[in-house]
Amino acid sequence: MAHWMNLGQQFKVNAKRHADKPALKDQGRSFTYAETNRRVNRLAHGLMGLGLFKGDKVAVFMDNCIEIIELYLATAKTGIIIVPINFRLVGPEVEYIVNNADAKAMVVQDQFTGVIDPIKTNLANIPAHHYVVVGEEADGYNAYETFIAGNPDDEPDAAVAPADTWILMYTSGTTGKPKGVIRSHESHIAFYLINGLDMGFNDHDYCLNVMPLCHINSTFYTFLFLYLGGSVYVHPALAFRAPEVLRIVEAERITFISLIPTHYNLILNVDEKDRRRDVGSIRKLLCSSAPVRRKMKREIIDFFPNAELYEGYGSTEAGSVTVLKPEDQMTKTGSIGRELLGTDFIKILDDRGNAVPTGEVGEIYSCGPTLFDEYYKLPEKTAASFKGDWFSAGDMGMRDENGYYYIVDRKDNMIITGGENVYPSEVEEAVGSHECVFDCACIGLPDEKWGEKIVAVVTLKEGIDGSSVSEADIQACCRERLAGYKRPKEVIFIKNDEMPRTTTGKILHRKLKDRYENSN
């Protein structure tokens, strides 16, 4: 039966169609399509040489680099499932994901071996010789280049179907434990084709990859260009510096970047020398993960004079749901746009599952071709997130009379800080582990740099003198348990009777948020 080719299969074709064209480039290297395809095939044979085959999982703990893209491509060709882990996580967080995913091998970037080494003995399913390191050699790891060298560079013999799982991507959950999101090849193929057409991309485009490749955004908006036959410049997410990004845009003649509002804010505040960089090659920009204020939109449009600005809405589970197009940026400020081309898969429902009238608020449900399959090992969580075939990420929104959608609130009080999704319950658990803390609520407050900053509102146990517990004490407690982006940027101490609660004792996060937003 004929079907669309996945990324790995299409890359094989592109290696013939665009053999001598640059596919991947970084600060010191450049590989053509033909060269990349040979490296990917050697990597695929190396993974299979470890005894990994279709359906087995390989975890990757890496910042953006050419090698992580090669891993995505190799798994797409073999049917092996890739498990990308956020490189900002600390040891216990990584350990939970690797074990929950049943990963049988792991590829680690050299700068992160210090996170992995202490937990190796707890990673039950990974044999000692199944660790690979990218970069400097390290004891207990196979060196990446040695690992792929000498392997055949012919195409791996594997039957991979569109409906097969490609990515198991973990996202934070309201319980504090991340959930594994099962994503198929066909959900990504649908994105590449729909967005390629809807946003007007082609094989002449040159993408600068800045967003972390452990996030859904990059597996969409980076690999789209490799699917179409364009080029990708890979830049480490941890090394984001606005002047350097602008230098790359000018030197490489980049045509597309996907960024979050925090990135744009940094770019808009560079000094005069960097403002004079020639960024005229940029023809399209994407902003996602958080709303963009009208003033910033105007500044972005002025800074990139030849670019069209798009905003996208979606989630790890739903994939891509809506897009706000360039012509609507100034007239529909605050909107997440309308359905993507070829789709009509959005409902706004009340608590009983009934559609709400235009202009009224309800929960946003979607059912599009980029939707995930299910949560890994969590059938009850999967069922609770769906009404029939319709999925909700928990966002509350409305639809106006012209068919444009708006996010009104996040049902579970999720905080978006620097483009990262953080659920208060996870932070509250860490803060609450301090021996003096009685209760805690974490909220997101507006922040110029991060979009939202995490603020912990803390009450102390009876008899504890407030002067004996400091913000630094709470921060130190969190440092051992949470990745840096999840830690509170501010701690506010209040009395127990000042904590707003329901009659059943549940803390009212919204009232706290309103209180401190209004006091700033």
Side-chain angles (χ1 to χ4, degrees):
M1 180 182 295
H3 57 72
W4 290 106
M5 292 185 290
N6 72 28
L7 178 64
Q9 295 159 344
Q10 182 62 49
F11 200 88
K12 176 186 71 174
V13 175
N14 288 346
K16 298 174 183 176
R17 296 177 61 218
H18 308 290
D20 298 324
K21 180 179 182 178
L24 298 174
K25 189 172 183 179
D26 64 13
Q27 190 171 18
R29 299 175 294 173
S30 180
F31 295 112
T32 66
Y33 268 90
E35 290 169 334
T36 303
N37 197 56
R38 288 193 292 269
R39 285 175 57 83
V40 168
N41 288 345
R42 293 188 192 110
L43 172 59
H45 285 290
L47 293 174
M48 293 190 296
L50 295 178
L52 271 62
F53 296 99
K54 183 177 177 179
D56 290 330
K57 294 146 188 123
V58 56
V60 297
F61 193 55
M62 308 163 70
D63 194 356
N64 296 347
C65 58
I66 285 174
E67 289 82 0
I68 192 172
I69 292 181
E70 291 174 340
L71 280 156
Y72 275 103
L73 288 163
T75 53
K77 289 189 177 203
T78 57
I80 295 170
I81 298 167
I82 189 169
V83 185
I85 302 174
N86 191 328
F87 50 77
R88 293 183 176 93
L89 300 185
V90 295
E93 296 170 311
V94 177
E95 178 183 323
Y96 173 82
I97 291 173
V98 173
N99 285 334
N100 182 260
D102 306 307
K104 293 183 177 181
M106 191 169 194
V107 184
V108 183
Q109 209 167 9
D110 55 5
Q111 61 186 309
F112 303 123
T113 55
V115 177
I116 303 304
D117 288 340
I119 64 172
K120 271 188 174 182
T121 56
N122 299 329
L123 304 181
N125 299 307
I126 304 182
H129 62 288
H130 281 203
Y131 290 90
V132 178
V133 64
V134 171
E136 294 293 326
E137 294 187 16
D139 291 340
Y141 297 82
N142 298 298
Y144 184 89
E145 292 299 331
T146 304
F147 180 72
I148 68 173
N151 292 328
D153 61 11
D154 59 327
E155 296 295 327
D157 183 14
V160 185
D164 290 338
T165 301
W166 177 28
I167 300 173
L168 178 55
M169 183 171 284
Y170 279 76
T171 183
S172 295
T174 55
T175 62
K177 292 294 186 184
K179 302 188 292 289
V181 176
I182 298 175
R183 298 199 55 87
S184 68
H185 292 276
E186 63 187 353
S187 69
H188 288 258
I189 297 167
F191 177 89
Y192 305 146
L193 298 175
I194 291 170
N195 279 263
L197 186 58
D198 204 14
M199 294 177 67
F201 295 122
N202 58 58
D203 61 1
H204 297 295
D205 275 307
Y206 189 3
C207 166
L208 173 57
N209 164 228
V210 172
M211 297 286 282
L213 280 157
C214 56
H215 282 199
I216 194 68
N217 179 288
S218 278
T219 68
F220 279 163
Y221 284 102
T222 296
F223 297 147
L224 180 156
F225 297 97
L226 296 180
Y227 196 89
L228 296 180
S231 302
V232 173
Y233 189 104
V234 188
H235 188 65
L238 281 174
F240 183 91
R241 301 290 184 274
E244 174 64 7
V245 167
L246 294 174
R247 185 199 67 78
I248 294 170
V249 168
E250 180 180 57
E252 297 291 328
R253 308 307 296 161
I254 299 295
T255 66
F256 172 80
I257 320 178
S258 172
L259 299 170
I260 60 173
T262 301
H263 290 146
Y264 284 111
N265 190 42
L266 293 169
I267 287 172
L268 294 172
N269 284 282
V270 296
D271 62 27
E272 191 58 36
K273 175 175 73 72
D274 290 308
R275 293 188 72 87
R276 291 197 295 268
R277 292 283 188 188
D278 180 2
V279 294
S281 60
I282 295 284
R283 68 187 196 92
K284 295 182 188 295
L285 294 166
L286 180 75
C287 189
S288 62
S289 299
V292 189
R293 299 184 307 276
R294 182 184 179 90
K295 178 176 179 291
M296 181 181 283
K297 286 185 180 183
R298 184 72 267 165
E299 291 173 345
I300 293 170
I301 292 168
D302 290 343
F303 195 99
F304 296 93
N306 298 331
E308 296 177 324
L309 178 63
Y310 293 79
E311 283 183 84
Y313 166 72
S315 65
T316 305
E317 295 94 334
S320 189
V321 179
T322 64
V323 63
L324 184 68
K325 294 195 170 182
E327 60 269 24
D328 298 319
Q329 290 296 331
M330 305 312 296
T331 59
K332 291 292 182 178
T333 303
S335 172
I336 57 172
R338 303 185 66 173
E339 300 88 342
L340 290 162
L341 178 70
T343 67
D344 184 17
F345 300 107
I346 301 176
K347 290 181 179 180
I348 299 183
L349 307 177
D350 61 23
D351 290 340
R352 296 180 299 277
N354 300 316
V356 302
T358 296
E360 292 192 15
V361 175
E363 190 167 352
I364 298 175
Y365 283 81
S366 64
C367 178
T370 64
L371 188 65
F372 79 128
D373 293 336
E374 60 182 302
Y375 290 119
Y376 188 58
K377 298 180 181 176
L378 294 171
E380 293 181 0
K381 292 284 187 185
T382 302
S385 299
F386 281 84
K387 290 188 185 299
D389 294 331
W390 297 80
F391 168 79
S392 171
D395 290 320
M396 306 298 288
M398 57 164 282
R399 180 180 183 272
D400 70 15
E401 65 279 3
N402 301 123
Y404 289 81
Y405 293 89
Y406 297 78
I407 297 291
V408 176
D409 198 359
R410 292 186 292 278
K411 190 175 183 181
D412 296 313
N413 299 309
M414 185 177 71
I415 302 166
I416 302 178
T417 178
E420 298 279 2
N421 294 344
V422 179
Y423 284 90
S425 58
E426 187 177 6
V427 188
E428 289 161 2
E429 183 177 353
V431 174
S433 67
H434 192 284
E435 61 182 4
C436 295
V437 171
F438 174 73
D439 213 344
C440 170
C442 288
I443 56 175
L445 294 182
D447 184 84
E448 278 293 315
K449 181 176 182 181
W450 302 110
E452 285 187 314
K453 65 179 178 180
I454 300 173
V455 176
V457 184
V458 174
T459 67
L460 300 177
K461 293 178 180 177
E462 190 173 350
I464 299 293
D465 182 359
S467 63
S468 64
V469 183
S470 68
E471 178 171 340
D473 295 328
I474 301 298
Q475 297 283 13
C477 186
C478 292
R479 195 172 297 116
E480 300 174 359
R481 296 167 174 82
L482 295 172
Y485 72 89
K486 297 180 182 178
R487 299 172 201 154
K489 295 288 189 293
E490 182 181 350
V491 179
I492 299 172
F493 294 94
I494 64 173
K495 297 178 181 178
N496 279 321
D497 60 4
E498 294 175 334
M499 185 73 82
R501 301 177 185 273
T502 66
T503 53
T504 57
K506 184 177 180 181
I507 294 174
L508 295 167
H509 288 72
R510 170 50 58 187
K511 284 197 173 183
L512 276 177
K513 193 174 175 75
D514 290 343
R515 177 193 300 176
Y516 292 107
E517 277 184 345
N518 294 334
S519 66
N520 285 348

